[in-house]
Amino acid sequence: MEAKWVAVTAVAPVAWGSNYYVTHEFLPAGHPLYGALFRALPAGLLLLAVHRRLPTGAWWWRSLVLGTLDVGAFFVLIYVAAQLLPTSVAATVMATSPVVMMLFAWLVLSVPPRGRQLLGAALGIAGVGLMLLTGAVAADPRGVAASVAAMVMSSYGYVLTKKWGDGVDVLSLTAWQLIAGALVLLPVAAVAETPPRLDGPAVLGFAYVTMVATALAFAAWFAGLRHLDAGTVGLVGLLNPVTGVLLGTAVATETLSTRQLIGLALVIAGILVPHAGRRGSRSYDRRRGETVAETGLPHHRAVRRG
């Protein structure tokens, strides 16, 4: 069952990895606020139309907090990074997110990282370093700073989503965050920027970013957070820089160097290592009536489902 949710979660980082290229090549530069707004609002409204449910109670302010961390500020920073950095560089800066998510899960959920997860993160970061640090391109410090800020904010927001999201269906949870994040962006964009002029490629680019890299990707990601622990989800996120590097190489009609191939192998190993030899422990958890991996919480804090 865990393999199923790992596969579902993987949809998100693969889509996000492609998003860097689409943003860099097809979307108008110099409009990070409207770029983020055009990405978030249509995706949120689309999901809300599919599953018509409005927030209640504490979820009004929770949606605002999560929407700011995971969507509003995050999308602006990612848009800036995508415009300032090459595709491969922008994607690989996010590679440290598994470690950051594990640390936030420890602080917020009282779930310390497992040894295999730390090993997987170390392998993944080392692999991304081999793929990134080729000396072929220069990284704009402003773009790197934007990527790091986006990674830290979103990692914290994802852990909060896991903490608060139990009992709320994934489509509603995703829609509320996207719409709330867009509403935070709207007045700022109206004051600080003029709306961009969109040509045909930009319209198609926004359509892809909205439907695939946002609505579908975030729904898959939050579904993964519902059924897997935060550390595992963070490691699956390493497919983001892998996708960015592979796409950037393919578009440039280049071949991966030996160094990059070794890095790619290390990243894949980092994703797989935490899942090796875990069947026995999961069977034990099922006999107790619940699976720790599905909640990310220790046994005495886990909530029974169904």
Side-chain angles (χ1 to χ4, degrees):
M1 181 62 71
E2 180 171 313
K4 166 189 171 182
W5 291 112
V6 168
V8 170
T9 307
V11 171
V14 170
W16 291 335
S18 67
N19 179 63
Y20 290 107
Y21 172 75
V22 174
T23 300
H24 190 269
E25 295 295 326
F26 298 105
L27 302 190
H31 298 274
L33 295 174
Y34 273 104
L37 180 62
F38 290 166
R39 176 183 179 184
L41 187 58
L45 293 175
L46 174 64
L47 292 177
L48 188 64
V50 172
H51 194 83
R52 300 179 181 179
R53 181 182 176 186
L54 294 176
T56 57
W59 269 105
W60 287 103
W61 67 263
R62 287 180 177 179
S63 297
L64 185 62
V65 171
L66 296 177
T68 300
L69 293 173
D70 295 344
V71 178
F74 175 68
F75 281 7
V76 172
L77 291 169
I78 286 295
Y79 197 96
V80 170
Q83 295 292 345
L84 294 177
L85 297 175
T87 299
S88 59
V89 176
T92 51
V93 168
M94 300 294 287
T96 55
S97 61
V99 175
V100 176
M101 284 185 68
M102 291 178 201
L103 292 177
F104 279 135
W106 196 354
L107 292 173
V108 177
L109 304 176
S110 299
V111 182
R114 299 192 299 269
R116 286 176 180 263
Q117 289 179 328
L118 292 174
L119 175 59
L123 290 172
I125 292 173
V128 168
L130 285 175
M131 289 191 293
L132 170 64
L133 302 177
T134 61
V137 293
D140 189 320
R142 297 171 299 169
V144 173
S147 291
V148 171
M151 180 270 296
V152 173
M153 292 180 62
S154 62
S155 295
Y156 181 58
Y158 296 151
V159 172
L160 281 182
T161 299
K162 183 170 185 62
K163 180 180 180 180
W164 291 340
D166 196 32
V168 179
D169 66 275
V170 171
L171 292 184
S172 295
L173 183 67
T174 307
W176 298 343
Q177 292 188 50
L178 290 171
I179 294 173
L183 293 178
V184 170
L185 285 169
L186 182 58
V188 182
V191 171
E193 287 183 4
T194 57
R197 294 183 177 180
L198 303 181
D199 56 13
V203 171
L204 293 177
F206 271 119
Y208 175 83
V209 167
T210 295
M211 292 186 288
V212 178
T214 304
L216 175 62
F218 273 89
W221 188 254
F222 291 143
L225 281 170
R226 177 68 53 84
H227 295 278
L228 302 169
D229 60 80
T232 297
V233 172
L235 288 172
V236 175
L238 288 170
L239 291 173
N240 184 331
V242 168
T243 303
V245 170
L246 293 178
L247 182 59
T249 303
V251 170
T253 63
E254 298 174 353
T255 58
L256 292 174
S257 66
T258 301
R259 180 188 181 116
Q260 289 175 311
L261 289 172
I262 294 174
L264 177 61
L266 286 176
V267 171
I268 300 302
I271 296 172
L272 297 178
V273 160
H275 307 290
R278 294 181 57 186
R279 181 175 297 180
S281 62
R282 287 180 59 81
S283 296
Y284 175 73
D285 291 334
R286 288 193 186 95
R287 286 196 297 270
R288 295 191 305 184
E290 53 196 62
T291 302
V292 175
E294 291 185 351
T295 61
L297 302 176
H299 176 73
H300 68 280
R301 295 180 57 193
V303 180
R304 286 185 183 272
R305 296 199 181 118

